Amino acid sequence: MEGGFNKHHLLGIRELLPSEIEFILNTADAMKEISFRDIKKVPTLRGKTVITFFYEPSTRTRTSFEIAAKRLSADTINISASTSSLVKGESLLDTARNLQAMQPDILIIRHPHAGAPHFLAKHINTAVINAGDGMHEHPTQALLDAMSIKEKKGTIEGLEIAIIGDITHSRVARSDILLFTKLRAKVRVAGPPTLIPPYIENLGAKVCPCIEDALEGADVVIALRVQRERLKQVLFPDLREYAIRFGLNKKRLALTKKDAVLMHPGPVNWGVELDPEVMDLERTIILNQVTNGVAVRMAILVLVAG
Ligand code: CP
């Protein structure tokens, strides 16, 4: 494999070179078949300790990191904010320093505040992986999205990728836009005007005035979840109205290229951002994304531990 990855942490897509992204994706390709063996285990990280530390709920990210670590023979420990001494008032930094004192090799953190993984990476020696920080980045989601697109399209370069929905609150959108533009795809975004931040064009995405413009001729469509937990004010009338104006259904998907794929990072609000009629279409690759999440996270664990 050409290139390499010499970083101690994975904090965001912003910090990665295109060659490093390609190297991670190639490593993930090599890892994927391990999950389809009868005995899904290799000794690569035997003797290493991996801690997942999630301050926010998660199904896919947390489970796939744990499965990835176990398939690589690492020892895994999961900590939730609600059952840790954070509830007694211990700070994030004190918590991390105390965990580091037990000599883990990798700390995977999800935190509601942007920059929390970067802060820890400055203060502890353990390798830090960002599993989602506030509305900032979700780098492993972008990497698994890229892997899933490459599997179907063979490349990212030159593709027209439409990202639809709540861009403002989406760390997935930010990491996806950074990654896809680094690999020379063209990214368009559309959604309720109140959920499209003006600075998004500075990341390299084109803002479309309506959802139909964004979908027209697209190779890839990524629908985003309406993040009700992050909506502090009313930014669109209601979910029914959202579904009518911005929800993806067969009719709207007919605007895309015939072989366009439909993706979503999950969890999906069925009937809101996606009509249930698109669930079982051949072009819908949401569960492929989840499968690839294990391979990408195996690759990241091996590379940061390396
Ligand atoms: N895509 C994603 O981050 O899902 P979870 O919140 O379930 O981890």
Side-chain angles (χ1 to χ4, degrees):
M1 253 181 254
E2 281 183 28
F5 182 89
N6 299 316
K7 291 187 163 60
H8 186 41
H9 309 288
L10 177 74
L11 300 176
I13 299 296
R14 189 181 285 283
E15 290 84 5
L16 298 181
L17 298 169
S19 61
E20 291 173 318
I21 294 170
E22 297 279 12
F23 190 77
I24 295 168
L25 295 178
N26 289 338
T27 308
D29 278 343
M31 293 288 164
K32 186 165 175 176
E33 62 85 20
I34 294 166
S35 292
F36 293 87
R37 294 181 189 174
D38 282 345
I39 297 173
K40 301 172 177 58
K41 216 176 212 6
V42 292
T44 317
L45 293 187
R46 193 166 51 199
K48 301 283 184 190
T49 304
V50 175
I51 298 179
T52 67
F53 194 10
F54 277 54
Y55 283 63
E56 289 184 332
S58 168
T59 296
R60 282 147 287 271
T61 312
R62 183 176 185 145
T63 310
S64 60
F65 263 121
E66 187 175 354
I67 287 175
K70 284 186 155 68
R71 288 192 180 155
L72 293 164
S73 302
D75 297 310
T76 60
I77 294 98
N78 299 312
I79 305 173
S80 301
S82 60
T83 54
S84 74
S85 287
L86 285 162
V87 292
K88 301 179 204 160
E90 192 167 30
S91 71
L92 172 64
L93 183 55
D94 267 347
T95 305
R97 282 186 170 144
N98 279 270
L99 293 175
Q100 181 183 263
M102 299 179 222
Q103 311 305 322
D105 298 283
I106 301 172
L107 179 64
I108 300 161
I109 180 163
R110 170 170 287 189
H111 198 279
H113 294 152
H118 304 67
F119 172 74
L120 289 189
K122 279 200 187 114
H123 289 92
I124 62 173
N125 297 325
T126 310
V128 176
I129 298 176
N130 181 359
D133 61 327
M135 298 187 289
H136 181 222
E137 279 226 42
H138 192 349
T140 57
Q141 179 69 44
L143 288 160
L144 74 87
D145 288 349
M147 181 177 180
S148 306
I149 294 170
K150 275 188 85 175
E151 273 182 357
K152 293 291 175 189
K153 303 282 167 199
T155 182
I156 303 289
E157 185 170 354
L159 294 179
E160 295 281 355
I161 301 179
I163 304 180
I164 308 292
D166 176 359
I167 308 291
T168 296
H169 299 99
S170 178
R171 53 194 175 208
V172 176
R174 248 169 294 283
S175 288
D176 274 352
I177 293 168
L178 287 166
L179 189 155
F180 298 148
T181 52
K182 280 180 192 237
L183 297 192
R184 295 176 297 282
K186 291 186 187 139
V187 182
R188 319 145 169 192
V189 299
T194 47
L195 294 174
I196 308 280
Y199 62 80
I200 209 72
E201 291 197 319
N202 298 341
L203 298 186
K206 178 184 162 207
V207 176
C208 293
C210 66
I211 181 174
E212 285 74 18
D213 280 7
L215 294 173
E216 187 71 50
D219 298 285
V220 175
V221 181
I222 301 176
L224 298 174
R225 182 171 69 88
V226 175
Q227 302 196 29
R228 282 175 272 187
E229 74 278 18
R230 294 194 210 274
L231 290 172
K232 292 193 174 63
Q233 47 182 314
V234 180
L235 295 171
F236 54 87
D238 60 30
L239 293 178
R240 193 169 157 271
E241 171 91 3
Y242 184 97
I244 292 168
R245 293 196 53 203
F246 304 103
L248 295 177
N249 51 28
K250 282 185 184 172
K251 190 172 166 211
R252 286 204 165 118
L253 289 177
L255 295 167
T256 65
K257 289 203 180 117
K258 274 198 168 51
D259 60 351
V261 292
L262 173 63
M263 302 167 63
H264 191 299
V268 179
N269 296 304
W270 291 105
V272 183
E273 61 264 11
L274 291 182
D275 190 306
E277 70 180 5
V278 306
M279 191 185 292
D280 296 321
L281 298 180
E282 202 182 325
R283 64 165 70 195
T284 303
I285 60 165
I286 297 170
L287 295 180
N288 302 39
Q289 292 173 261
V290 178
T291 302
N292 289 334
V294 175
V296 156
R297 287 166 181 133
M298 287 172 79
I300 294 297
L301 291 173
V302 168
L303 294 173
V304 300

